[in-house]
Amino acid sequence: MSSLDASAAAKTESRNANRAMLAEFWFYFSQNRGAVIGLFVFLTLVLIALLAPLVAPHDPNFQYRDNFLTPPFWQEGGNVSFLLGTDAVGRDILSRLIFGARFSLFIGVVVVTIALSGGVVLGLIAGYFRGWVDTTIMRVMDVILAFPSLLLALVLVAVLGPGLVNAMIAIAIVLQPHFVRLTRAAVLSERNRDYVVAARLAGAGNLRLMFKTILPNCLAPLIVQATLSFSNAILDAAALGFLGMGAQPPTPEWGTMLAEAREFILRAWWVVTFPGLAILITVLAINLVGDGLRDALDPKLKRS
């Protein structure tokens, strides 16, 4: 019975410690009001994206032939059936924006997952083994960083072929060096610490030392970088879509919507304004959350 009691007490203590850590994290995060507002906006966007078929008033690709370039409902000639107006072929802009949130958030998640996974593995290998392995990996990353990110993404998409999947792969490759360099720097600062040396003396293998011992202590800066890369992925995907190299029509992706509306900028302001605002609000909200995470996770920036 004593061993069971000790086990239960250990579990309770672990739960209390986790709650204390979460409470401390939220305290520092909530000190940044902009981050809290950004988190609320981002969670709202996620909810809208998940419920898009229920929230959207129309099919995003259905063309209402009698409503070409209908202005928003508050403007003369507007229609309450199309709150934000319609585009050049009669599709409801609000519905396309709502479904576009799905694509933008999906792009961000996939790109960050690919870039983070590959970057962490390469960074761990480079920082842990050093030598020629480190030199080779970092010189390749330096070559990638030497190119303007959008230009390199354009070249990669041109090689792979236009399309949403290829655009995500290209953006992930472009963003990966940031994770590699960040992980390598964190590993270099941790690899000779006492707890790593103790684990090595206890017989832990290289993989265990890399992924179980060192990596958990390098996560804080990676989480912040992942958040900021999320917004960069959305921006780059929108830019590729605008240039015709990303998502292809009639996909309701915000960058593609901007590309389709270029010729109507002067006589139908709403077809470019609302997709642009959607990109602006989403990226701004994610960046604000990233600032809050930096304040909450970096001990040097925690406010007393």
Side-chain angles (χ1 to χ4, degrees):
M1 291 296 292
S2 59
S3 61
L4 292 176
D5 292 341
S7 176
K11 289 181 180 178
T12 303
E13 185 177 351
S14 176
R15 284 195 215 102
N16 291 336
N18 291 334
R19 286 174 188 164
M21 289 176 61
L22 287 174
E24 181 187 15
F25 166 80
W26 178 250
F27 171 78
Y28 287 109
F29 183 86
S30 62
Q31 296 298 305
N32 189 330
R33 294 185 179 179
V36 175
I37 295 172
L39 180 62
F40 174 77
V41 172
F42 178 72
L43 292 178
T44 302
L45 287 169
V46 171
L47 187 62
I48 289 174
L50 292 174
L51 301 177
L54 302 176
V55 176
H58 303 279
D59 185 318
N61 294 321
F62 188 82
Q63 301 177 6
Y64 294 89
R65 298 290 181 175
D66 297 329
N67 293 278
F68 294 156
L69 292 177
T70 300
F73 75 95
W74 65 83
Q75 192 170 328
E76 184 179 354
N79 188 334
V80 292
S81 297
F82 308 105
L83 296 179
L84 299 183
T86 60
D87 62 11
V89 293
R91 295 174 298 194
D92 180 52
I93 290 179
L94 177 59
S95 299
R96 291 179 65 76
L97 288 176
I98 290 172
F99 275 87
R102 278 188 160 188
F103 286 95
S104 292
L105 296 177
F106 175 72
I107 289 168
V109 170
V110 172
V111 167
V112 169
T113 301
I114 295 173
L116 178 63
S117 302
V120 164
V121 171
L122 291 175
L124 278 172
I125 293 173
Y128 185 82
F129 291 106
R130 302 298 305 277
W132 67 268
V133 176
D134 179 23
T135 303
T136 303
I137 292 175
M138 296 315 297
R139 293 300 78 78
V140 172
M141 296 302 112
D142 289 341
V143 169
I144 295 176
L145 287 173
F147 290 92
S149 59
L150 185 57
L151 177 61
L152 181 57
L154 275 172
V155 171
L156 291 173
V157 173
V159 172
L160 298 173
L164 185 60
V165 175
N166 291 338
M168 289 190 293
I169 294 172
I171 296 169
I173 292 174
V174 169
L175 294 178
Q176 193 169 71
H178 301 287
F179 291 100
V180 175
R181 291 165 68 93
L182 194 60
T183 304
R184 174 181 175 272
V187 171
L188 288 177
S189 67
E190 296 289 332
R191 66 192 297 267
N192 293 321
R193 297 201 174 222
D194 292 342
Y195 71 93
V196 178
V197 174
R200 186 182 291 114
L201 292 175
N206 289 331
L207 289 177
R208 183 176 181 84
L209 286 171
M210 291 163 62
F211 290 96
K212 291 272 189 163
T213 307
I214 297 176
L215 181 58
N217 293 285
C218 304
L219 290 180
L222 289 173
I223 292 172
V224 177
Q225 181 62 41
T227 306
L228 300 177
S229 295
F230 196 103
S231 62
N232 289 334
I234 293 175
L235 275 178
D236 288 346
L240 290 175
F242 181 77
L243 296 172
M245 303 296 283
Q248 300 298 300
T251 304
E253 193 269 328
W254 294 337
T256 305
M257 292 173 66
L258 286 173
E260 294 174 335
R262 275 179 295 189
E263 58 185 297
F264 306 104
I265 292 177
L266 296 179
R267 63 192 182 97
W269 60 269
W270 56 91
V271 294
V272 292
T273 300
F274 294 124
L277 282 176
I279 296 170
L280 170 66
I281 292 170
T282 302
V283 171
L284 179 60
I286 295 171
N287 285 339
L288 288 174
V289 172
D291 288 341
L293 288 174
R294 182 192 58 194
D295 291 346
L297 295 175
D298 190 339
K300 297 177 183 177
L301 297 175
K302 287 183 177 179
R303 302 164 185 165
S304 57

